[in-house]
Amino acid sequence: MKKIRLTDYAMILAGAVARVLPHAPNFTPTGALAFYSGSKMSLKAALSISLGILFLSDLVLGWHSTMFFVYAGFALTALLGHALKDTGTAGKISGLAASSLLFFVTTNFGVWLTSGMYTHSLAGLSACYVAALPFLSNELLSTMLYGGAFFGASKMIEHALKARGVTAPNAA
């Protein structure tokens, strides 16, 4: 079993807290959090943490008709992070961007399917995706910024500890 560094848990806790703080629409750390946990932990742990954080924060934020699609979007994001865990920085940057697009496609398909706001036709689906473009820009920007912060802070902590001759503590 892979050891989980406590710094990974600290990044995840910070991301979880930030989801319930006031923010612009779709400007949350949740996508970056799912990708980060997927790339740092076992797939089971990443999915449990990502979906658990969504569930607990939804107890505060409230329920909605597209929750299945939101959860699916973040589960797919964790899967993508896990698939790209051994890639370098460029792979992770590309993966973070791709995860935002994956989330956008998944969740807006759910809006089209369940909301009643759009006709169930190709024109309705297209209109749904076009109307959601402003949310995509926030999702993409937040995922890239938070993802950079999570991965960057983790590396900085690792290097600072290593420079001091300290091995980062692990949790089982």
Side-chain angles (χ1 to χ4, degrees):
M1 180 175 175
K2 182 180 177 182
K3 296 283 187 177
I4 308 301
R5 291 186 323 273
L6 292 178
T7 53
D8 295 335
Y9 284 117
M11 298 300 119
I12 290 164
L13 179 61
V17 169
R19 182 168 192 251
V20 296
L21 297 176
H23 57 270
N26 278 47
F27 198 91
T28 71
T30 314
L33 177 66
F35 187 89
Y36 179 85
S37 63
S39 72
K40 295 288 189 173
M41 302 177 170
S42 72
L43 186 55
K44 182 179 177 180
L47 290 170
S48 296
I49 287 169
S50 297
L51 299 179
I53 287 168
L54 285 173
F55 178 77
L56 292 174
S57 58
D58 282 339
L59 291 173
V60 174
L61 299 172
W63 311 106
H64 52 85
S65 64
T66 58
M67 285 180 65
F68 169 79
F69 298 95
V70 171
Y71 282 60
F74 288 127
L76 291 170
T77 297
L79 284 166
L80 182 60
H82 189 73
L84 297 175
K85 69 181 178 182
D86 294 326
T87 62
T89 302
K92 290 203 174 50
I93 290 170
S94 299
L96 284 164
S99 72
S100 291
L101 295 173
L102 185 63
F103 181 78
F104 175 81
V105 169
T106 305
T107 56
N108 286 293
F109 179 80
V111 169
W112 170 76
L113 189 64
T114 66
S115 73
M117 294 171 35
Y118 302 96
T119 61
H120 287 162
S121 65
L122 187 55
L125 181 60
S126 297
C128 179
Y129 283 121
V130 168
L133 286 174
F135 298 101
L136 173 60
S137 61
N138 279 355
E139 173 66 27
L140 183 59
L141 183 59
S142 68
T143 300
M144 298 304 287
L145 288 174
Y146 280 112
F150 293 151
F151 284 105
S154 178
K155 279 288 186 201
M156 287 174 32
I157 291 168
E158 287 175 33
H159 286 296
L161 290 173
K162 189 175 181 180
R164 289 173 177 73
V166 177
T167 302
N170 292 322

